């Protein structure tokens, strides 16, 4: 009986911490980087994002951003649990100040951001979710 309970507890713990981050797809052509992220846990359009996510994505790294420039982001169907799940966008602006956005709750069907970045800086996105409520997955697309 003790062995069964131990196995059951370990299985539950593994299920609790096993959320994997959705894949960020990047392509590069003619000096431009394009990216796409479907936040659905199963990769299916219209699915929900997972619980217990601690994801960091580097959309544009310092070698891709040698001269600075602009990064265009589009978020579609963005809706998270307003208290506890959020998406953070961090970058260094052309004035060399840390800048960013923290998005949570229902924002809009289509959000557009243009980030004017400093040379040799990164654009990073953090996706954080707790362990309770999930919402419909959002899509992030963009180019640099």
């Amino acid at each position: 009986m003790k062995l069964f309970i131990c196995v059951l507890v370990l299985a539950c713990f593994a299920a609790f911490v096993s959320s994997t981050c959705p894949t960020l797809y990047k392509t590069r052509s003619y000096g431009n980087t394009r990216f796409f992220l479907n936040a659905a846990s199963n990769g299916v359009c219209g699915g929900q994002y997972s619980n217990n996510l601690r994801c960091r994505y580097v959309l544009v790294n310092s070698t891709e951003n040698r001269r600075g420039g602009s990064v265009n982001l589009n978020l579609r169907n963005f809706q998270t649990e307003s208290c506890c799940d959020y998406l953070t966008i961090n970058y260094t602006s052309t004035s060399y100040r840390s800048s960013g956005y923290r998005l949570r709750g229902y924002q809009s069907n289509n959000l557009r951001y243009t980030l004017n970045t400093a040379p040799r800086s990164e654009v990073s996105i953090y996706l954080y979710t707790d362990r309770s409520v999930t919402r419909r997955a959002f899509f992030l697309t963009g180019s640099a």
Side-chain angles (χ1 to χ4, degrees):
M1 182 68 175
K2 287 182 183 179
L3 178 62
F4 176 73
I5 292 172
C6 180
V7 170
L8 181 62
V9 168
L10 287 175
C12 289
F13 180 74
F16 176 75
V17 296
S18 67
S19 293
T20 57
C21 294
T23 302
L24 173 72
Y25 297 96
K26 290 173 82 171
T27 61
R28 189 159 170 78
S29 64
Y30 301 108
N32 292 324
T33 302
R34 296 189 182 282
F35 38 86
F36 172 79
L37 173 69
N38 175 1
S41 58
N42 57 4
V44 175
C45 294
Q48 292 189 315
Y49 61 83
S50 294
N51 282 320
N52 302 311
L53 294 176
R54 308 293 184 275
C55 306
R56 178 177 185 257
Y57 303 98
V58 177
L59 301 181
V60 179
N61 65 37
S62 59
T63 58
E64 294 170 323
N65 192 18
R66 292 183 184 171
R67 289 181 239 128
S70 61
V71 176
N72 299 305
L73 298 176
N74 298 306
L75 276 163
R76 289 186 316 172
N77 303 325
F78 187 82
Q79 182 179 3
T80 63
E81 183 183 16
S82 61
C83 70
C84 310
D85 300 343
Y86 56 86
L87 184 75
T88 302
I89 303 166
N90 291 329
Y91 68 103
T92 303
S93 69
T94 52
S95 61
Y96 293 94
R97 294 184 181 179
S98 292
S99 299
Y101 303 95
R102 177 165 285 184
L103 307 171
R104 62 176 66 200
Y106 175 76
Q107 296 287 329
S108 173
N109 271 342
N110 196 12
L111 296 170
R112 294 173 190 252
Y113 295 95
T114 299
L115 314 176
N116 294 311
T117 61
R120 300 203 182 275
S121 64
E122 286 186 346
V123 175
S124 299
I125 290 196
Y126 301 89
L127 174 60
Y128 176 90
T129 64
D130 69 352
R131 63 180 186 196
S132 61
V133 178
T134 62
R135 301 274 191 251
R136 188 170 141 199
F138 57 88
F139 299 94
L140 172 85
T141 59
S143 62

